[in-house]
Amino acid sequence: MALLEVCCYSMECALIAQQNGADRIELCSAPKEGGLTPSLGVLRSVRQHVAIPVNPIIRPRGGDFCYTDGEFAAMLDDIAMVRDLGFSGLVTGILDADGDVDMPRMEKVMVAAGPLNVTFHRAFDMCANPLNALQKLAELGIARVLTSGQKSDAVQGLTKIMELIAQAGAPIIMAGAGVRASNLSLFLDAGVQEVHSSAGVWLASPMRYRNSGLSMSSDTQADEYSRYAVDGAAVAEMKAIMARHQAS
């Protein structure tokens, strides 16, 4: 059966994903940034309460994937922390200024990760030459690549995703970005073996008192009184679709 990875932004979300059949979790913070490194407290609580495989993301900030020396040093420290906490894998990605895989830094990442399996995230979708990048990632020993096929969502990028899957000796290609129950069959029918979904929903804050004229965000239009959560029903529906596809 195909594998479902769910992107989670809290311990509570990870528990919901697990309870509804997720096979693996990508653990992040900051959903509006596209996922940043979780805090130590979140990492520890997830290790204590979640039994399925969890791969924390190692990403020090939003924006591009070309990092300063200080940012890279912090990434190596975070990798050591994730390894020492006993996680089975991690998610990261580093590019150079020309849009190529930053091989010197990624080699250091692989050494720091040690036995952990490493997923190269959607930095791959920002690289200049995806087939060349895939070959380099294979040389590094990357376990899998998360990609939308260099398009804004994986449905639009499915042709490129299948081209990547066809490359002999390549890491596992995991389709992600806009994957949901309504289009999951497209990926299963195409032979994609791993899919990544946020299965997310924004929930209203339980706060009764609200100062609606003030925002804590640099985006003055941001809603301070909603928060991201995993939709357990959506996870369960996707797993049911996978089971039916496997049985057919």
Side-chain angles (χ1 to χ4, degrees), residues 18-226:
Q18 175 177 261
Q19 290 160 2
N20 286 278
D23 299 296
R24 186 174 62 232
I25 288 166
E26 180 192 64
L27 185 63
C28 311
S29 65
K32 292 182 180 180
E33 292 279 8
L36 303 181
T37 307
S39 72
L40 177 58
V42 170
L43 290 166
R44 282 178 171 163
S45 64
V46 168
R47 280 293 294 141
Q48 290 169 1
H49 298 289
V50 177
I52 63 174
V54 177
N55 292 349
I57 195 170
I58 306 296
R59 186 179 178 215
R61 58 161 172 78
D64 65 45
F65 302 98
C66 184
Y67 297 112
T68 66
D69 289 345
E71 289 167 340
F72 180 60
M75 293 172 74
L76 292 179
D77 282 347
D78 286 337
I79 289 169
M81 173 178 64
V82 165
R83 184 193 62 217
D84 292 346
L85 285 170
F87 287 92
S88 59
L90 60 88
V91 181
T92 196
I94 306 173
L95 302 179
D96 64 23
D98 294 315
D100 295 324
V101 175
D102 189 329
M103 290 295 282
R105 283 181 166 178
M106 284 303 302
E107 287 169 356
K108 292 179 180 178
V109 164
M110 299 303 288
V111 170
L116 278 65
N117 71 80
V118 178
T119 299
F120 196 90
H121 58 39
R122 290 188 65 216
F124 184 85
D125 290 323
M126 306 299 286
C127 70
N129 187 325
L131 295 179
N132 181 57
L134 189 62
Q135 181 179 349
K136 290 181 176 180
L137 295 175
E139 293 169 2
L140 285 167
I142 292 289
R144 70 183 50 80
V145 175
L146 171 61
T147 178
S148 62
Q150 296 209 306
K151 299 293 185 180
S152 59
D153 65 68
V155 171
Q156 295 182 60
L158 184 54
T159 298
K160 176 62 71 176
I161 289 170
M162 297 313 299
E163 182 182 354
L164 296 167
I165 288 173
Q167 298 301 302
I172 295 168
I173 303 298
M174 179 167 56
V179 177
R180 51 184 60 90
S182 61
N183 59 32
L184 178 58
S185 292
L186 291 174
F187 300 96
L188 301 178
D189 291 343
V192 176
Q193 291 300 304
E194 296 195 5
V195 294
H196 171 100
S197 178
S198 63
V201 63
W202 288 91
L203 300 179
S205 167
M207 291 191 68
R208 290 185 293 272
Y209 172 75
R210 301 188 179 196
N211 184 348
S212 58
L214 180 65
S215 173
M216 296 291 106
S217 171
S218 59
D219 176 5
T220 57
Q221 302 303 310
D223 182 4
E224 300 291 343
Y225 298 100
S226 66

